[in-house]
Amino acid sequence: MDTLFIVTILIVIGALIFDFINGFHDTANAIATSVSTKALKPRHAILLAAVMNFLGALTFTGVAKTITKDIVDPFTLHNGSIVILAALISAIAWNLITWYYGIPSSSSHAIIGSIAGAAIAAAGFSSLNYGGFLKILEALIISPILAFIVGFIIYSIFKVVFKNHNLAKTNKRFRIYQIATAAIQSYSHGTNDAQKAMGIITLALISNNYITTTDIPFWVQLSCAIAMGVGTSVGGWKIIKTVGGGIMKLRPVNGVAADLSSALIIFGATYIHLPVSSTHVISSAILGVGTSHRVKGVKWNTAQRIVITWFITLPIAAMLAAVVYFILNAIF
């Protein structure tokens, strides 16, 4: 069995592990609001999220193709198998570190930064596909801003429409609505986040000459969907606690507004084949809703910690991936 084949197998396993970790790391964000408002019991929320993530992952492949070809050129990637394996190890390590401390960091930033860092270590800055890479960075930066604005607007509309309604009855009704919005939120997460692992595996298959097009093989799509669904079933309670209650005290009406806002942004990004961070989008939507509800009610110290993590994830992941690349390159 040659080294290239062994490394390819390791990449497939690593990508599925990344998707599994993404399932309990990022999916916690998707169900955090419904759990914190008691619209859903934790076990029911996780089961719902697992099913909807699986279905979402099977529905689209556009984001996967973007990951495959827009960060680096898969057909000319120098030492591609080692680059991709180093990127996966780096992204998995950062996800586990942030999960351990209950920090809702971005798996998207982690894997994109890691691919870029490992590629630069292998062949210099010229290895990056700057047009595609900058387009992805723009999406990662703009999407949370849009989520904040949309969250602010949607909740402002809710305040006007339901201002004369009994609060207790409104909350009871919105708990029912939140079951639907949690399902939509989880489905949207699957349509975008699960595709990142699909793109990585396809990138490795092209780089190692196992396939010749950027089309995503069905077995790749199915295996990543299963990994995401199983990972979701594990849950991520530390992150649920931070997102669901650490940013603001959520009521069902707040949760519905935040879920709808973030799902709209994620669906929009999936439609135009751009990867976004569900962590960024969901947290920003909650911040937008909280600001519209009552600025002083937002726990800005938690928000500040999340924002700092957003900014440091990509460069740290890139540097970590470069170090891992040099170690792997010496081994293989």
Side-chain angles (χ1 to χ4, degrees):
M1 196 178 296
D2 63 15
T3 303
L4 186 63
F5 182 73
I6 293 172
V7 173
T8 303
I9 294 296
L10 290 175
I11 289 170
V12 172
I13 294 171
L16 295 179
I17 291 172
F18 174 78
D19 228 11
F20 174 85
I21 293 170
N22 189 304
F24 71 74
H25 185 281
D26 282 15
T27 304
N29 303 317
I31 59 174
T33 56
S34 59
V35 171
S36 66
T37 61
K38 296 181 173 59
L40 283 167
K41 293 180 179 179
R43 186 168 304 204
H44 295 160
I46 287 173
L47 178 62
L48 175 68
V51 172
M52 297 310 293
N53 262 284
F54 175 80
L55 294 175
L58 287 177
T59 310
F60 300 94
T61 60
V63 173
K65 290 182 179 180
T66 298
I67 294 294
T68 300
K69 62 184 176 60
D70 280 13
I71 303 173
V72 292
D73 184 350
F75 298 100
T76 61
L77 182 59
H78 176 72
N79 215 357
S81 56
I82 305 301
V83 167
I84 300 163
L85 186 58
L88 280 169
I89 292 171
S90 167
I92 289 170
W94 181 249
N95 272 355
L96 288 175
I97 291 167
T98 52
W99 166 80
Y100 180 80
Y101 288 103
I103 303 169
S105 72
S106 166
S107 294
S108 302
H109 278 211
I111 193 61
I112 290 165
S114 294
I115 293 173
I120 292 168
F125 286 91
S126 61
S127 61
L128 294 182
N129 178 353
Y130 280 98
F133 185 63
L134 290 175
K135 182 175 67 174
I136 291 171
L137 285 183
E138 286 174 4
L140 291 173
I141 293 169
I142 293 172
S143 55
I145 298 171
L146 288 176
F148 180 93
I149 295 169
V150 172
F152 186 93
I153 292 171
I154 287 181
Y155 189 71
S156 296
I157 293 170
F158 279 10
K159 285 197 299 184
V160 173
V161 173
F162 298 103
K163 67 178 180 179
N164 295 323
H165 288 65
N166 179 278
L167 180 61
K169 288 183 178 180
T170 300
N171 279 329
K172 186 176 180 180
R173 188 181 302 121
F174 270 91
R175 278 197 179 93
I176 298 171
Y177 297 157
Q178 209 174 357
I179 297 172
T181 59
I184 294 169
Q185 176 81 284
S186 298
Y187 178 80
S188 72
H189 179 270
T191 67
N192 201 283
D193 273 48
Q195 292 191 56
K196 288 149 194 172
M198 298 178 202
I200 291 163
I201 294 175
T202 306
L203 176 62
L205 294 174
I206 293 171
S207 178
N208 295 339
N209 298 314
Y210 288 109
I211 60 175
T212 57
T213 72
T214 57
D215 293 333
I216 312 300
F218 180 72
W219 70 265
V220 173
Q221 191 177 8
L222 180 62
S223 58
C224 289
I226 292 171
M228 175 71 77
V230 174
T232 302
S233 68
V234 173
W237 305 115
K238 291 182 179 181
I239 293 171
I240 286 175
K241 185 178 179 181
T242 301
V243 174
I247 298 175
M248 65 174 290
K249 184 178 180 180
L250 285 169
R251 292 189 174 94
V253 65
N254 308 132
V256 169
D259 286 350
L260 286 176
S261 304
S262 50
L264 279 172
I265 300 301
I266 296 171
F267 274 132
T270 300
Y271 181 74
I272 58 175
H273 301 171
L274 286 175
V276 294
S277 166
S278 58
T279 307
H280 288 208
V281 170
I282 294 168
S283 299
S284 296
I286 294 173
L287 284 171
V289 169
T291 303
S292 175
H293 179 71
R294 190 166 67 92
V295 175
K296 291 183 178 179
V298 176
K299 298 174 184 177
W300 293 105
N301 57 335
T302 303
Q304 183 182 30
R305 186 163 61 102
I306 293 171
V307 171
I308 290 171
T309 310
W310 292 350
F311 278 106
I312 66 173
T313 293
L314 197 145
I316 287 178
M319 289 186 287
L320 180 58
V323 172
V324 174
Y325 170 81
F326 289 124
I327 294 171
L328 291 178
N329 196 44
I331 296 172
F332 292 102

